[in-house]
Amino acid sequence: MMPNLFATEAAAGYARVAIERGVDRYPDGLTYAIPAESQEFAALKPGDRVVVPLGKGNTATPGYVVELTGSIDVDPSKVKFIQRRDDAAARLPQQLLDLAKWMSSYYCTPIGMTLATMLPAAVKRNVGTIRKTFVDLAEPSSADVGHRYSPKQRRVLSALAALRAHERPVEIRALVELAELKTPASIRRMIQRGILRAVHRNVVEAAWTEHLSDARTPERLTEEQVEVIEAVGERLDKGFFTHLLFGVTGSGKTEVYIRLINRVLERRKVVLMLVPEISLTPQTGGRLIGRFPNHRVAVLHSGLTAAQRHQQWALVADNQADIILGARSAIFAPVKEERLGLIIVDEEHDSSYKQDQAPRYHGRDVAIRRAQLANCPILLGSATPSLESWHNAITGKSSLHRMRHRAPGLRLPKVQLLDFRAEARQRRDNRVHLLGPTLEGAIAQTLDGGGQILILLNRRGYANYIACPSSHCGWIMTCDHCDVTTVYHRDQKLPTGGYVRCHHCLSEQKLPSTCPQCGKKISVFGLGTQRIEEELSRKFPQLIEGQTMLRIDSDSMGGASDFHDALERFGRGEIRLLVGTQMIAKGLDFPGVRLVGVINADTSINLPDFRASERTFQLVSQVAGRCGRGADPGLTLVQTFNPNSSAIRLAANHDYESFATQELAERQRCGLPPITRMARLVIRHEDHVKCIELARRLFAGLRALAQSRFGDSETVGAGHHDFSTVRLRGPAPCPIARIADNHRQQIEVLTPSAALMQSFLTEARKAGLLKAGAEMAIDVDPLALL
């Protein structure tokens, strides 16, 4: 029976509850009374999920208990009672509660929303849960197989006695198979007689796609691998420490991870390993399963079905998983207290670790914080480390380990830069070719030689520019709801042969046949993965779409299973060429790849974003590293309109350290991260004038706060700046000034340290200036500035 809404009698205590709503007025949660007369609440603890009444309408709202207390500072008669516990949800470990509190503060997000992010929706909804019967021996003496038992009963007792202690109790259907019975009738009668003991549990069932096991072990380790394994291994028992492994592509970083995982498992601890994309889980999962056949590997990522996610999450919560592998959200795996022994973040530079909605957390940085809370080491690995991680390493905040050479038998690929303009001049026809003659010839040679090919273009669709060809007209097709051009997508299933889509608001419309202003036939040009696919099919008849050639981008891949199937077909050699976006540039290891072609290395280098050069270097370097993993060193051809760009040139030379030195010097000169810390505030409103007004009002409030509480602040303009205090830039229109009918203004906050940034943002929240929601996005440590 539900208790009275308000406390009319003494409560058993009080609980601070973080409700799953965007309520920022009480960042630490709301206080509720615990009913004294109900056994349901007798064992209530922090981390339990409960349902509480919220607001004037007392709407039943889920939330998490974050703290228990025996007394409060307000009138108890005004405190509402908790309505009930949500027993379907497992209790969150204290470590995750502490992590949520830190994230709520650091990323300026209500703690309830943060906790809601941690728990998968499938777990909250109890998807796939059924009640099962597990069986064990009632007492040790009942294992005695005597003449009083029937043959079937003796087989049951023998089967149970043969199981090790940690394998019991066993599910009744499994016991039927072990005892070679046709039905569980004999087992149920033994339970009724007290010979066997029955335990009923709620478990999660899900059809699970097995990862292909890969037990390959290198004949020997390189000296660099041994040095890294020993250096990191000797600190496994010494508490929290951050390691950065900078190893060129193909240097054997995964083998280093596996050797360290083995050392952690020997200590009976759990390893949590993050990869940036679900695309990397099949290969990595296969290697972990193959190398550790006697340990349970749990896989957590958004590509699983709801029941699968619940199943894998439950394995971790029940302490049945020794290795946890997953994408960004796997950092919230409910590992038991004191069990976490090592966290690994592979490809730590990857932007996929950053979430683009509240809480806008970075998986790498949250992983570092979790390692601190768990008092265990964390290993960050990359061939192209983020400048944040590199700066921390060279300034002594973390330990730097280098692996400059590829594993034995592997050589870094030769990278050749191709001037797109010079390539185009070699053509004698008037057609537009996205494949220059050099790349086209290399593709033909590689196909003839039996090799495999990766072709990268980091732009989806068929054409990104739809316009009137008349120089007197100037019409360009833009989105009706955003200030961006639209993209044409081919689709032969449609009568018109395709459609036009905005990649920001996802609105779609027909492709007009004529210019709406002058009536001339429109021109569709530009580039995209579909257009490359079409050109490859036309020039190389042996490349058949869906059979020997596949396009991999978010349009062609319906889900994780499609991507995994594509990679398996490529691994078998069935697919000769993959063309795709950055999805094919990350962490894939296929020895048959002899050629990598980059159609246009300039897709992001000219964006109005200070990280544009860093992203360009990483993309070119990473995709080049996909070849040369067999006996042949491989060749990477990079087409560019900017062959003298230092980012592209240094990537071609595999010279990360020179690039990092040069880029950090530029960031130092401009006072940009990682030398400083940044938060980006984006104001959104359908009314343009109102949007500007809100941004100016926020800026004025922040400037007043900075001047009154943090000494002199600076409004950034031209000239020299003092980087030792709070700096405010803006307000100004975002580079993309309107998305989904919302006008956008931005304010950038820069401080010399994370501590000062957090102090400033906390005071701004307390003052009511910062309220994450529909009209304001708060992005701490932003990766994208568009």
Side-chain angles (χ1 to χ4, degrees), residues 250-285:
S251 59
K253 293 186 290 296
T254 302
E255 186 62 32
V256 170
Y257 301 154
I258 288 173
R259 298 299 176 105
L260 289 171
I261 288 171
N262 186 60
R263 294 194 179 192
V264 175
L265 295 180
E266 289 174 348
R267 292 165 165 79
R268 299 185 181 278
K269 294 274 190 173
V270 172
V271 177
L272 174 55
M273 181 172 178
L274 301 184
V275 292
E277 295 269 11
I278 60 175
S279 62
L280 299 182
T281 56
Q283 281 197 323
T284 307

Side-chain angles (χ1 to χ4, degrees), residues 274-329:
L274 301 184
V275 292
E277 295 269 11
I278 60 175
S279 62
L280 299 182
T281 56
Q283 281 197 323
T284 307
R287 292 193 67 176
L288 293 176
I289 291 170
R291 295 289 290 275
F292 301 104
N294 298 320
H295 294 274
R296 193 68 174 265
V297 179
V299 181
L300 297 171
H301 59 68
S302 59
L304 305 178
T305 66
Q308 288 169 350
R309 292 196 78 184
H310 192 180
Q311 180 201 46
Q312 298 294 295
W313 198 90
L315 283 177
V316 180
D318 292 340
N319 209 22
Q320 296 183 37
D322 302 309
I323 304 169
I324 303 156
L325 171 69
R328 179 180 63 221
S329 60

Side-chain angles (χ1 to χ4, degrees), residues 200-222:
H200 301 286
R201 293 177 180 171
N202 286 332
V203 298
V204 181
E205 279 200 340
W208 179 241
T209 302
E210 291 294 336
H211 295 280
L212 294 177
S213 178
D214 179 3
R216 289 177 300 167
T217 304
E219 294 182 4
R220 60 185 177 86
L221 297 176
T222 66

Side-chain angles (χ1 to χ4, degrees), residues 337-356:
E337 305 292 341
E338 309 298 329
R339 288 277 289 145
L340 199 54
L342 174 67
I343 298 176
I344 299 170
V345 183
D346 191 26
E347 308 291 355
E348 65 83 27
H349 68 276
D350 200 281
S351 60
S352 298
Y353 283 121
K354 179 74 170 176
Q355 178 155 291
D356 61 0

